[in-house]
Structures are given as C-alpha cells and as structure tokens.
Amino acid sequence: MTALSVLDLSPIVEGSDASQSLANSLDLARHAERLGYRRYWLAEHHNMPGIASAATAVVIAHVAGGTKTIRVGAGGIMLPNHAPLVIAEQFGTLAALHPGRIDLGLGRAPGTDMGTARALRRNLEASDNFPQDVVELMGYFQPAAEGQRIHAVPGEGQKVPVWILGSSLYGAQLAAMLGLPYAFASHFAPAELDHALEIYRSRFQPSEQLDKPYVMLGLNVFAAPTDGEAKLLFTSLQQAFVNLRTGRAGRLPPPVEGYDQTLEPMAKTMISQALSCAVVGSPETVRQGIDAFVRRTGADELMVTAQIFDHAARVRSFEILAEANKSLSQAA
C-alpha cells in the first residue's frame, strides 16, 4: 500500500470566504487522520484570491492543534521570501507545540507574481541564495555548537525534518546533494518529472536525515461514485487553472457541465499538459490510476491534492481514494 498524504491550498470558493476555507481545512485534516493519511501539508501562496494558506505556519498551527496524530507541515515554505532564522523559529515553535508531527518542505519559487514577490522579499535576488539558506536553516535545528552566537529558540536541537520541493531539475540536484527527501510538483508541472527523478535517485548522497532516496509526488485525484461525477468535479480545477494562466485568478469556481467543450485549442493543450498527472473517476478508475502512476514512477509516497468546490464532495473524494489504496494492498 503506497503511503498517501494530503496537499491542501485551503481553497476559497466562489460565494464563501477565508474563515470557511480554514474551517474546511481543519475538518478535512481530521478526516484524513481518521482515514490513515500520513501527512497534511499546506502551501504558501500570496496575492491569490482563491487560496487561504498564505500565512502557512499559522494555518499549520491551526490544523495541528485540531488533530492528534497526523503529521502536519508545509508543502511548502517559499524560503527566499523569508529569513532562515525566522522560519527556524516558526517551525521550532510548531515542533515544540506538536513534538514529532511537524514537517518543513522548502521551495525556491516565490509562490506568487513578481510584483508581490518584490513586496514580500524586497530583494528578488534572494532565490540565488536558496542552497545556502537551506543549509543555514537546517543548522538552526542542530544542537548548539561551541561559540555559536545566533540560536533559534525554539528550534535548536529539534531536528525538524526538512524536504526539498521542486518542479524542475534544480530541486532534484539540491535534494540529492544534501541527502534530503524530495517532493516533486507533478500535480501542476509534470514536464520534468521523469528526468528529475532520475537525477535525484542517481546522485543521492546519504545524510544524517536520510540514508536512501525518498520521493513524494504530487497527484490530482478527483474521486466520486461514477466517472461522470468525478469529471464534473474536475472542471473546477480546470477553470481555475485557465483563469490563473490567463491573468484572471479568482476564487475556486463551481463545476460546469461540458466545460472542456467550451475551451479554445490552446487552453485545452495547456490543461492536458499541466494537469496530466491526474486521476479522475470512480473508485475502480481511481484504483487503477494510482496503481499505474506508482508503478510508472516508483513513488514512495503520493501527495494528493483535490481542488473540489463542494466540501462534502472533497471529503468523499479522499475517502474513496483511501479505500481504493487499501484495496490495492489487499490485492497484492
């Protein structure tokens, strides 16, 4: 049985607000915990009308405080937006509050547009220092060295697990070099997936945190009682993606019957490429889809995301997926 985890953007749907989205995130996390999902990660995005997880560490505290056993973390923190010491203190605090349950995924992208990135960072060259910033951040989680003058309190000595996130070959190379687990954003940027996996696995150097490569892959899963119902749910993400790529980002729209028939050829191609790592359908379709994806990629873990307009349908989708994954294990 492949380990399953949840990636939540805490979507703000049309007609709703951030308060409801954050309540939904906690509710989904409690269901995921009950269903046996391993982790519940939240992502840092800024200036996005449809995403409520911008203050990622704060939302992680909200979710971790309302659950008991599931690991909760960032998928991820866009490190160039922050000073490493600040993130060490934030996640050191989270780890002190919830020992053994906090993960820290780190990304190099801004998680927003360039204007907003400038407002966040003030210095757009910060991404050039990403490898050094990762090493500095990890150092704050180590026990203090003799003569050390700067300490992360809380954070020091807690060794919060660090992951490298990526959608290109850069993150694969860095994760391999540092001996860290690697999470690839195949749920929206699958083009370099196979090449990135090959680089990460072939160049991996064992570390104190990890002795062999460990890969978690992003996957869109939209599950419903029938293929038709699942495809209808999927149209919310398709619309949101087209809106984002055409400069019309907004709240997550409701599903639309026959949406793909209304698309221009260029938009259809864009969606089919960007969202090619998606499993959409009935329980049996989902079972076959995740089995095929894991066999093709050798993923150690799947980080599943589902931008579904109706919260009850979203919860049900994760229930169907958990049941499908369990049936694969029983059949093996």
Side-chain angles (χ1 to χ4, degrees), residues 198-255:
E198 189 278 325
I199 286 176
Y200 172 66
R201 288 168 173 154
S202 65
R203 301 185 187 181
F204 182 85
Q205 300 177 28
S207 69
E208 180 183 346
Q209 182 172 330
L210 197 63
D211 60 357
K212 62 182 181 180
Y214 191 92
V215 172
M216 179 159 59
L217 300 182
L219 184 66
N220 297 289
V221 178
F222 287 68
T226 67
D227 286 349
E229 290 174 83
K231 289 176 181 177
L232 179 59
L233 296 177
F234 189 49
T235 63
S236 288
L237 176 60
Q238 292 174 318
Q239 293 174 75
F241 205 86
V242 169
N243 291 343
L244 178 63
R245 290 293 177 92
T246 54
R248 297 178 291 119
R251 297 185 177 189
L252 186 69

Side-chain angles (χ1 to χ4, degrees), residues 51-74:
I51 296 176
S53 55
T56 314
V58 178
V59 185
I60 290 170
H62 167 63
V63 171
T67 53
K68 296 178 181 178
T69 58
I70 194 169
R71 298 191 67 89
V72 187

Side-chain angles (χ1 to χ4, degrees), residues 3 43 49 80 111 127 135 139 163 177 180 207 212 251 259 279 283 332:
S127 61
V135 171
W163 294 65
M177 181 178 71
L180 296 176
S207 69
K212 62 182 181 180
R251 297 185 177 189
Y259 175 68
V279 177

